[in-house]
Amino acid sequence: NHKLNVALLIGGVSFEDQMRKLDRGADVLIATPGRLLDLFERGRILMNGVEILVIDEADRMLDMGFIPDIERIVKMVPFTRQTLFFSATMPDEIKGLADKFLQNPVQVAVDAAVSTADTVTQHLVRCGKKDFEKRAALRDLLDNAQNLKNAIVFCNRKRDVATVFRSLEQHEYSVGALHGDMDQRSRTTMLGSFRDGDIAIMVASDVAARGLDIPNVSHVFNYDVPIHAEDYIHRIGRTGRAGRKGDAFTLVSSSDKKYVDAIEKLINQKIKLVDSTAPVENSEELEKKQSGGKSADRQGRSKTRKKEPKRAIETNTTDIDSDEATDKVSVATQKSSNRTDSKKPVATKSPSQDGKKSSNPQGMGEHVPAFMMRSVRMASADESDEKVA
């Protein structure tokens, strides 16, 4: 309604399209630091007329090594500008860095800086340490969650994003993935599919924890407990937005205690802990070996599953474990019997005795190489004399 021309300057897309927008003129630039500096160095932007400088997600911007770029941008804009920092969390150490860019700042807080939204119900779900146990607990939560419309599953590492995505895809869930190594076009396509409801679950790294405005996300699942307590607030803030209700579940094991303690200390509240009801079933590796990479078909699928699921062979971990135990016992028995037999006196029977094979063959035993079975021509006496002469 303000008739403002807006240009989006981000990496991963063509320079040409962005330059054409700049040539037409822009009242507002929304940019990442790197692409903004690139276009400035190419002479496509003049910064001496900037009246307002906004730094969104200021704590992460300064914490992720963008301080040199921010300093360059601040020097490029007029000193008489108005500078605005926005963030849901602002630790003291980051606040000290921000003071370098602000003059006589006024702090405006809608709520406490480290508080979570009252519209989000938080849960801690106890599960095992092994990866397949965590994946089983996640699937159980997805199947049994109430009023699950769509969900974001957060992982700490990009490789875990790929692993969880493949696991859910094999179990016939409607799922997509989002992480920092994806190009901008793939990110935009994935976010569009999730926003439009084409996929119900998005497995993501912390790249989706900030700046992602999808008002109707019903659930957030932390597959990994965030290492930085502030990230927990941003993650669960993807649900329960605009007055809606939301649920946040965090999978925890005994090794995550220090991270959970840091989160509870930061938000100044205890999070309800419940046990996972997921059965400790077969692992992903065993499923792939036994069923060719396809998962077992289970009843009671939620709306997050794809239609027409494929059937696969079920593998029982208990049976496999018992078979392995039996094999180990038999091997141990065989070894002990061998040790016992070795102490007995050895009978010296020839191979032909009683028509039985010898348990202790002499020389080559019954196997004689074929070249030794060939007949040898003996030289005559005359030939021997000639050779001697």
Side-chain angles (χ1 to χ4, degrees), residues 56-323:
D56 195 16
E57 302 295 351
D59 60 334
R60 181 49 58 93
M61 187 78 72
L62 300 178
D63 192 33
M64 290 182 65
F66 287 105
I67 295 177
D69 291 342
I70 297 298
E71 288 179 340
R72 288 185 60 190
I73 294 173
V74 169
K75 292 178 181 179
M76 288 157 46
V77 299
F79 180 77
T80 56
R81 71 187 183 276
Q82 180 184 10
T83 306
L84 303 175
F85 273 31
F86 287 92
S87 179
T89 58
M90 185 63 71
D92 292 337
E93 57 272 16
I94 302 300
K95 187 177 180 180
L97 292 174
D99 290 339
K100 294 172 56 178
F101 309 110
L102 303 177
Q103 299 293 330
N104 300 320
V106 176
Q107 183 174 356
V108 179
V110 177
D111 206 340
V114 292
S115 63
T116 56
D118 296 334
T119 55
V120 180
T121 304
Q122 305 173 55
H123 309 271
L124 296 177
V125 181
R126 185 186 289 113
C127 65
K129 293 182 179 180
K130 297 182 179 180
D131 291 338
F132 73 89
E133 293 175 325
K134 293 181 67 175
R135 292 194 290 268
L138 175 62
R139 294 193 298 269
D140 181 68
L141 289 174
L142 291 172
D143 289 339
N144 298 314
Q146 296 181 356
N147 303 320
L148 177 61
K149 180 180 179 181
N150 54 10
I152 302 177
V153 180
F154 284 104
C155 301
N156 288 345
R157 297 174 295 184
K158 287 175 284 189
R159 67 179 183 182
D160 290 335
V161 171
T163 301
V164 175
F165 166 73
R166 288 195 300 267
S167 173
L168 294 178
E169 188 178 43
Q170 290 172 2
H171 283 80
E172 305 298 337
Y173 288 88
S174 174
V175 63
L178 182 69
H179 55 79
D181 283 348
M182 297 171 61
D183 59 75
Q184 189 61 39
R185 185 182 300 275
S186 300
R187 292 193 205 181
T188 304
T189 302
M190 180 56 60
L191 287 175
S193 300
F194 183 68
R195 186 179 289 107
D196 297 338
D198 296 334
I199 59 174
I201 302 171
M202 184 170 66
V203 185
S205 62
D206 281 323
V207 70
R210 300 165 183 257
L212 184 63
D213 185 19
I214 302 177
N216 57 351
V217 176
S218 63
H219 288 70
V220 165
F221 298 93
N222 288 315
Y223 181 80
D224 296 314
V225 181
I227 298 175
H228 302 289
E230 293 83 4
D231 291 337
Y232 176 81
I233 298 176
H234 290 278
R235 286 184 182 184
I236 68 172
R238 300 308 98 192
T239 185
R241 299 173 71 84
R244 296 179 176 87
K245 297 292 184 180
D247 291 278
F249 295 85
T250 303
L251 298 176
V252 297
S253 61
S254 57
S255 59
D256 297 320
K257 185 178 184 304
K258 63 178 181 179
Y259 301 124
V260 174
D261 291 342
I263 291 172
E264 292 180 337
K265 181 179 179 181
L266 179 68
I267 64 177
N268 196 25
Q269 71 179 86
K270 296 291 290 184
I271 306 175
K272 183 180 179 181
L273 178 64
V274 296
D275 289 323
S276 172
T277 59
V280 182
E281 297 178 348
N282 40 4
S283 67
E284 295 286 335
E285 292 75 19
L286 292 176
E287 286 179 356
K288 291 178 182 178
K289 291 180 181 179
Q290 298 296 327
S291 59
K294 296 179 181 179
S295 61
D297 184 17
R298 299 183 298 173
Q299 296 179 352
R301 284 183 169 87
S302 66
K303 295 181 181 179
T304 58
R305 294 292 185 101
K306 294 180 180 178
K307 296 180 180 179
E308 299 181 359
K310 300 178 182 179
R311 294 185 179 181
I313 302 173
E314 284 192 347
T315 307
N316 194 332
T317 306
T318 307
D319 296 339
I320 293 175
D321 293 341
S322 62
D323 292 341

Side-chain angles (χ1 to χ4, degrees), residues 4-10 18-33 35-37 39-40 44-56 73 76-77:
L4 296 174
N5 295 325
V6 181
L8 180 64
L9 309 179
I10 55 177
Q18 296 176 358
M19 288 181 180
R20 282 195 293 267
K21 291 182 180 180
L22 293 175
D23 291 339
R24 291 195 297 265
D27 300 308
V28 180
L29 292 181
I30 303 174
T32 55
R35 181 53 63 96
L36 181 64
L37 292 173
L39 289 171
F40 178 80
R44 309 306 298 230
I45 301 175
L46 294 176
M47 305 288 286
N48 54 4
V50 174
E51 299 177 357
I52 300 175
L53 173 64
V54 178
I55 301 178
D56 195 16
I73 294 173
M76 288 157 46
V77 299

Side-chain angles (χ1 to χ4, degrees), residues 346-362:
V346 180
T348 56
K349 287 186 178 182
S350 63
S352 61
Q353 187 176 357
D354 297 333
K356 297 181 181 179
K357 294 181 180 180
S358 173
S359 60
N360 187 21
Q362 302 293 328

